[in-house]
Amino acid sequence: MGQLEGKTALVTGGSTGIGLAAAERMAAEGAHVFITGRRKAELDAAVETIGAEAATPVVGDIAKLDDLERLYQAIGSRGQGLDVLFANASIGEFVTLEDTTEEQYDRHFDINVRGTFFTVQKALPVLNDGASIVLNSSVNADQGAPAFGLYAATKAAQRSFTRTWANELKGRGIRVNAIMPGPTETPGLNGLVPADQNTGFKQGMASSVPLGRLARPEEIAATVLFLASEQSSFMTGSALYVDGGSTQV
């Protein structure tokens, strides 16, 4: 029997990268996984990877409350509530303080902060007592990487949400924890710089990691599974660093 046998899970941003890896792993452990994202073609491809019987795609943008309402209506209509919520969807780009535009600021905070906030708030009516919420924060929340200030600030907000929501939801036995991934081989990482700079960019990032490489999405997904399952039953408000030692040694 899998660690999530008979459970229902939701992964936002579940069509690629860490989100897809987490959805695959939870489905392999027995969960039925709802995945959401903005692009139907990518969601459909993700369902083929996960397995059509184990996954339900719902196209939507977490920054749009109507899309979130529709998502939770779909989950509620299944009649089994929600046991695991992995709030993973986010964006990031390099932009300095001097060069940041109002549009860039609003996009980061609309998706990463506002979107995450309402993803969790709107889930409350369908979340089962004893459920697990996992937020995808980042080691960047603790660092001052140049030109990554907008992204880092939004991830610090998510880490703060983790502590507060763990306290607010403890009466229902709902645990709230965060993962703090280091640099991970994902399409999102590849999109941070022009394609012709990707190799050197990733080599530079890998050289800053004590283990000497980038993480694989499957390694981050294993940590998500741990926090989603009863293996972490005495943990809430915590942040687990999965960064190859980047912030630890």
Side-chain angles (χ1 to χ4, degrees):
M1 180 179 290
Q3 295 183 60
L4 299 178
E5 196 69 37
K7 303 288 188 181
T8 302
L10 165 64
V11 178
T12 65
S15 59
T16 62
I18 291 171
L20 176 56
E24 285 186 85
R25 185 64 192 274
M26 287 192 278
E29 292 290 338
H32 185 88
V33 184
F34 284 80
I35 58 172
T36 188
R38 291 175 291 177
R39 291 175 287 274
K40 184 179 186 301
E42 290 186 1
L43 282 176
D44 290 344
V47 169
E48 288 189 18
T49 299
I50 298 165
E53 293 186 357
T56 299
V58 180
V59 177
D61 184 340
I62 65 167
K64 297 178 179 179
L65 297 191
D66 287 347
D67 286 1
L68 288 174
E69 295 281 4
R70 183 165 46 80
L71 168 64
Y72 289 120
Q73 286 173 4
I75 293 172
S77 68
R78 191 165 175 266
Q80 298 185 32
L82 186 63
D83 302 293
V84 178
L85 167 55
F86 179 32
N88 166 71
S90 64
I91 63 163
E93 62 182 294
F94 286 124
V95 60
T96 64
L97 170 63
E98 182 179 10
D99 294 333
T100 298
T101 66
E102 182 179 7
E103 190 273 335
Q104 288 169 320
Y105 181 95
D106 288 345
R107 186 168 67 249
H108 276 79
F109 278 83
D110 279 352
I111 295 173
N112 297 6
V113 180
R114 183 177 182 273
T116 298
F117 182 92
F118 286 109
T119 292
V120 175
Q121 186 202 65
K122 298 298 184 183
L124 294 177
V126 297
L127 275 171
N128 294 323
D129 290 352
S132 175
I133 298 171
V134 182
L135 304 188
N136 188 357
S137 184
S138 169
V139 296
N140 293 103
D142 299 334
Q143 298 172 331
F148 223 26
L150 278 181
Y151 177 78
T154 63
K155 292 300 178 177
Q158 292 176 358
R159 175 65 186 106
S160 180
F161 285 156
T162 301
R163 293 186 176 98
T164 306
W165 294 342
N167 215 12
E168 291 183 351
L169 299 176
K170 63 187 179 185
R172 293 181 56 190
I174 295 174
R175 299 181 299 108
V176 187
N177 293 287
I179 57 166
M180 310 290 280
T184 306
E185 183 68 69
T186 64
L189 184 70
N190 292 334
L192 286 174
V193 296
D196 61 352
Q197 298 177 24
N198 255 325
T199 299
F201 171 63
K202 289 191 288 187
Q203 287 175 344
M205 295 195 80
S207 69
S208 70
V209 177
L211 289 183
R213 62 176 177 84
L214 304 180
R216 300 186 301 275
E218 294 78 14
E219 293 174 303
I220 311 301
T223 307
V224 176
L225 174 64
F226 170 71
L227 291 174
S229 74
E230 287 300 309
Q231 297 297 315
S232 60
S233 58
F234 200 56
M235 293 180 64
T236 195
S238 298
L240 281 187
Y241 286 76
V242 198
D243 65 353
S246 298
T247 62
Q248 308 300 311
V249 300

